[in-house]
Amino acid sequence: MDQKLFIINIYLIMSILSNITPASAQVPRAVSFEKMEGFPVDEQGIEKGVSACFAGVVGDWLVMAGGCNFPERSAADDGIKHYYKGIYAARLNTSNVLEWHRIGSLPVACAYGVSVQLPDGILCIGGNNLETSFKEVFKIGMGDGQATIEQWPSLPCAMDNFTGALCGREVVVYDGSQLLNLNLDHISEGWKSSDEVHGQKLGQPVSGCIDGDFCTWGGSTARTAEREAKLRLSGYRYGAKPIELKTPVDESGNPIFLGGAAAVNLSDSVVLAVGGVNKDIFLEAVNHPKPGYMTHPIAWYQFNPYVFVYDREGWHLIGRSDITARAGAALVRHNNDVYLVGGELKPGIRTADIYRMTFTY
């Protein structure tokens, strides 16, 4: 090739590349918080706040359902956990006031399931209550101001304290030992099991989707008589083959455990993750329980205050706030905002605080 023509071609290629927005440009640089006023009150005790509820949006309505708390006595005082079944909706606009309306009821009182946002509703998967764990799956929609419940194919087995996400046209759920897929174009075929997963069951991992691939982080194995509980800090991306993903780290480079955190996709290639328990305090409490563990002040438990986003390049720490230092919360994206709903501030103590998160790019 003529040298002059070669130089011109290189110049044209560089000009084109300079106008392509890199993936990292889609990652927020900072986050701000606005406290919302209002929480459901129609079921006795729910006004104290719940964790592990189903949540999402239907149109411009923020919807939450189920969840659990200790309404009468705290867990430290041997209180009994109560599960709720109400479905509530509040219209989203520029106001910071949420006017909640009870629009229906779940088939049973339930918490610790998975919510997957669909274009026309919220897919509610599995969960449990004091009596049993569930394999049922249903979609919450709205019509004439009331909730609609549409039954979908059940899971092949009951699941709770697991995670899930929408990846393209597939709903994916995962608990460490199983990865199940439901094709939205062939719903009647039901859930299909992947043979890529052969690990131990994990409690409360988080997940999201990057460019059509399901990604998951965190979670802990249960303590048994034969072995102590273990934490998984890193994650996996399930595409053509499983790829191990790095662990998020704080400002000092210390690894952060995302067990009990909340996650939601901000776009097809960016996942937001907030909160979760402190890895050292949690693991010590599970494996070597001591009297009085539930009685410490909130700050003692050191729930994670970090706001992370994950994209093709890895983890980015974009904020730190005590607002996000909670476990079992729900994250719901609506347009360019994300709503942080409920959760627990320490073991057994829930919050009714809801915040609107707005991002700076």
Side-chain angles (χ1 to χ4, degrees), residues 220-336:
S220 60
T221 62
R223 177 180 177 233
T224 69
E226 292 77 28
R227 62 178 184 269
E228 293 191 338
K230 293 184 178 180
L231 309 182
R232 194 184 71 184
L233 302 182
S234 61
Y236 282 93
R237 177 171 179 165
Y238 291 99
K241 64 178 182 178
I243 300 172
E244 188 169 7
L245 302 177
K246 291 183 177 180
T247 303
V249 298
D250 65 13
E251 307 96 323
S252 302
N254 300 311
I256 298 299
F257 176 52
L258 291 180
V264 70
N265 268 86
L266 297 180
S267 70
D268 291 340
S269 60
V270 179
V271 177
L272 169 72
V274 303
V277 299
N278 178 280
K279 62 181 177 62
D280 301 315
I281 294 173
F282 173 78
L283 195 60
E284 177 68 15
V286 172
N287 287 329
H288 308 286
K290 295 180 176 61
Y293 170 73
M294 305 287 287
T295 63
H296 297 289
I298 289 172
W300 184 88
Y301 298 90
Q302 299 180 44
F303 281 8
N304 296 326
Y306 304 105
V307 180
F308 290 105
V309 289
Y310 185 88
D311 73 344
R312 303 178 186 111
E313 299 177 359
W315 286 107
H316 308 265
L317 175 57
I318 66 165
R320 174 179 178 143
S321 172
D322 288 340
I323 290 170
T324 57
R326 54 180 82 180
L331 285 179
V332 177
R333 182 168 67 91
H334 178 254
N335 297 330
N336 296 321

Side-chain angles (χ1 to χ4, degrees), residues 175-186:
D175 71 352
S177 63
Q178 296 183 91
L179 190 149
L180 304 172
N181 304 270
L182 180 67
N183 190 322
L184 295 181
D185 295 321
H186 302 281

Side-chain angles (χ1 to χ4, degrees), residues 27-50:
V27 173
R29 293 182 290 106
V31 59
S32 60
F33 300 86
E34 180 182 17
K35 187 174 182 180
M36 309 298 288
E37 301 297 329
F39 198 82
V41 297
D42 284 47
E43 295 170 277
Q44 185 175 354
I46 198 172
E47 72 281 354
K48 297 178 182 294
V50 296

